[in-house]
Amino acid sequence: DAEITQSPRHKITETGRQVTLACHQTWNHNNMFWYRQDLGHGLRLIHYSYGVQDTNKGEVSDGYSVSRSNTEDLPLTLESAASSQTSVYFCASSRGTGGHEQYFGPGTRLTVT
Amino acid sequence: GQNIDQPTEMTATEGAIVQINCTYQTSGFNGLFWYQQHAGEAPTFLSYNVLDGLEEKGRFSSFLSRSKGYSYLLLKELQMKDSASYLCAVEDSNYQLIWGAGTKLIIKP
């Protein structure tokens, strides 16, 4: 069965360190997204990609970067982790836009101390 | 700006019916989604509305009025497993999903 996975599921890191969160999907979807979810806020879009070598900034992209070298993977890098980046991070993928549902990974809980 | 409003929390009784409302103001509209999210888990797709009216899917129905910027999710014959957060999201003119903060639904026996 097709799926979308994230690793690690939990991560504790220190302020200033570089952190990379992995996202891998076997749906063969062109579109992939990274969101963060914080209490009292809706899911907020960090970065997204509509295909290999395509990346775009979302609403809250400062301090984050992504790269898309193949269809399956969209790793999210925190260049220099800050306490404000403590959050739950969700990766999602979809077949397209215009009514196509997004499939979510299980999430990564990141704590920056 | 873009805004999606939902009640923060609702309580209902097992076996009853509950309606969760969502109002939106977005730059363009290409459809509205409802997702369910159990605590500690990922959101999962429930429904999609792009035209006005009611879409029924088993115990769950979703309604849309584009002129009023309004949608609701109707859950019938509530079960304990329906205790979850329900997220409303609008696909805007750039095909980005704008998400509400979610409504936490508590089901009591």
Side-chain angles (χ1 to χ4, degrees), chain B residues 10 17-22 34-36 46-47 49 55 59-63 70-75 86-87:
Chain B
M10 299 181 70
I17 299 173
V18 72
Q19 178 176 310
I20 302 174
N21 295 325
C22 171
W34 284 96
Y35 280 75
Q36 181 189 59
L46 285 177
S47 68
N49 294 69
E55 295 277 345
R59 293 189 299 114
F60 292 9
S61 303
S62 55
F63 171 84
Y70 168 68
S71 173
Y72 67 73
L73 181 69
L74 192 71
L75 291 73
Y86 292 86
L87 314 181

Side-chain angles (χ1 to χ4, degrees), chain B residues 65-101:
Chain B
S65 169
R66 288 173 296 171
S67 62
K68 295 182 179 178
Y70 168 68
S71 173
Y72 67 73
L73 181 69
L74 192 71
L75 291 73
K76 302 176 185 176
E77 301 169 15
L78 285 170
Q79 302 175 10
M80 297 304 292
K81 68 179 182 179
D82 297 329
S83 292
S85 289
Y86 292 86
L87 314 181
C88 172
V90 170
E91 193 167 39
D92 71 7
S93 56
N94 294 318
Y95 296 98
Q96 300 298 312
L97 285 187
I98 311 301
W99 296 81

Side-chain angles (χ1 to χ4, degrees), chain A residues 9 33 35 37 40-43 45 48 50 90 97-106, chain B residues 30 33 35 37 40-45 48 87 91 94-102:
Chain A
R9 295 293 312 278
F33 309 85
Y35 294 96
Q37 187 174 41
H41 292 272
L43 289 161
L45 185 63
Y48 60 100
Y50 288 154
F90 286 102
T97 54
H100 290 280
E101 65 181 279
Q102 293 185 10
Y103 295 80
F104 283 80
Chain B
N30 280 307
F33 293 82
Y35 280 75
Q37 185 177 25
E41 298 184 6
T44 55
F45 170 78
Y48 172 71
L87 314 181
E91 193 167 39
N94 294 318
Y95 296 98
Q96 300 298 312
L97 285 187
I98 311 301
W99 296 81

Side-chain angles (χ1 to χ4, degrees), chain A residues 13-74:
Chain A
T13 192
E14 295 178 344
T15 301
R17 291 194 182 262
Q18 183 180 81
V19 177
T20 296
L21 309 183
C23 175
H24 180 81
Q25 54 99 1
T26 58
W27 291 99
N28 199 34
H29 285 161
N30 285 325
N31 298 355
M32 295 185 73
F33 309 85
W34 273 105
Y35 294 96
R36 60 179 289 174
Q37 187 174 41
D38 304 287
L39 213 58
H41 292 272
L43 289 161
R44 289 184 288 176
L45 185 63
I46 304 171
H47 282 284
Y48 60 100
S49 168
Y50 288 154
V52 176
Q53 302 301 333
D54 176 73
T55 60
N56 306 280
K57 293 181 178 181
E59 175 193 4
V60 291
S61 61
D62 286 350
Y64 304 93
S65 63
V66 294
S67 61
R68 186 92 180 269
S69 58
N70 58 50
T71 300
E72 295 79 19
D73 299 289
L74 188 71

